[in-house]
Amino acid sequence: MLRAAGVGVGDEVVVPAFGNVEVAEAVTLAGALPVFADIDPVTYCLDPDAVEAAVTSRTAAVVVVHRFGRHAAIGRLHALGQRHGLLVLEQGESEAPYDEIAQRRQRAAYLDARLKGVRTPDGGDGHTYQQYVVRVPGNGRPDRDAFARALRAKGVECRVPVKTPVHRLPEFRRYVSLPETELAADETLALPVDAALTKREMHRIVSACNALGGLLQPAF
């Protein structure tokens, strides 16, 4: 899509660093330079203000990635693209059937109402909960990683959605300030909300998480 739009050598393309190394790789394959912008801490998608700050005279496009079942502020990003004459491309997530989304939302609501000691996701903007991503505040220590290990020991499957932001990978290393991206990479943990989960399994997730609340300290 970038090549078809004429994006190539000498151009810059603004992309997120939170996940999806494939996006930066696609920009490089087109001959352009990926420029990383920070994310919104609620949606985990590109922050329009951060994108605006990253735009230069060489910027040709922005690649917007919708994340975890939340949509980016696409209206603002398209308006930004129009102001600067930029191509705005979107990368979405595969859509699940409506019944499955409804069941995920039910399980997410169950967790929202019962989890303690973690920050639950914001459910606004038609969240489909492709992943149920909580925050485990670090407070200078690897609390998220200890939390994840303890959950797995209790039989709860969980995963770190983004272990290393793209701008910290050797092939794309950039010395840029992306505080929300780096904080999200340190704190986020995806808990299961699959439609196949039983009530007993959901109760186990809540019990295991809440029993570990003592690991967390308030961040100052």
Side-chain angles (χ1 to χ4, degrees):
M1 291 177 71
L2 290 167
R3 284 174 174 162
V7 175
V9 177
D11 292 327
E12 294 177 351
V13 179
V14 180
V15 299
F18 189 65
N20 288 74
V21 66
E22 296 86 357
V23 174
E25 288 173 341
V27 173
T28 301
L29 286 172
L33 177 71
V35 173
F36 300 108
D38 212 354
I39 58 169
D40 179 287
V42 174
T43 66
Y44 302 105
C45 305
L46 280 176
D47 177 357
D49 292 333
V51 172
E52 185 107 46
V55 171
T56 71
S57 59
R58 297 173 59 187
T59 306
V62 179
V63 179
V64 183
V65 181
H66 302 298
R67 181 78 60 200
F68 305 146
R70 281 294 301 266
H71 279 81
I74 198 64
R76 288 184 61 196
L77 289 163
H78 276 301
L80 183 156
Q82 290 177 349
R83 284 198 306 277
H84 295 281
L86 308 177
L87 175 69
V88 177
L89 298 176
E90 298 179 56
Q91 183 184 63
E93 299 170 301
S94 58
E95 289 294 329
Y98 178 79
D99 288 349
E100 184 176 332
I101 291 173
Q103 290 180 59
R104 284 182 188 167
R105 285 175 172 158
Q106 287 178 352
R107 284 156 178 74
Y110 180 92
L111 295 178
D112 287 345
R114 292 165 176 81
L115 285 176
K116 301 172 183 176
V118 297
R119 295 184 205 143
T120 56
D122 184 290
D125 194 30
H127 204 319
T128 59
Y129 296 99
Q130 300 280 12
Q131 296 188 57
Y132 184 89
V133 177
V134 300
R135 293 271 196 147
V136 184
N139 195 28
R141 304 191 312 281
D143 286 343
R144 188 273 314 276
D145 295 337
F147 196 93
R149 286 194 297 271
L151 283 185
R152 293 182 190 118
K154 291 175 178 288
V156 175
E157 292 186 13
C158 59
R159 58 182 295 272
V160 175
V162 177
K163 294 182 179 178
T164 305
V166 181
H167 72 299
R168 292 288 181 248
L169 296 175
E171 62 270 38
F172 291 107
R173 187 170 293 280
R174 302 281 192 278
Y175 294 99
V176 294
S177 177
L178 303 176
E180 295 296 348
T181 294
E182 295 187 5
L183 190 62
D186 287 343
E187 293 185 348
T188 50
L189 186 67
L191 300 178
V193 285
D194 302 338
L197 288 170
T198 65
K199 281 190 175 182
R200 177 175 292 182
E201 288 168 327
M202 295 299 297
H203 179 72
R204 182 195 302 159
I205 294 167
V206 171
S207 297
C209 286
N210 291 352
L212 295 170
L215 285 177
L216 304 181
Q217 300 294 325
F220 294 103

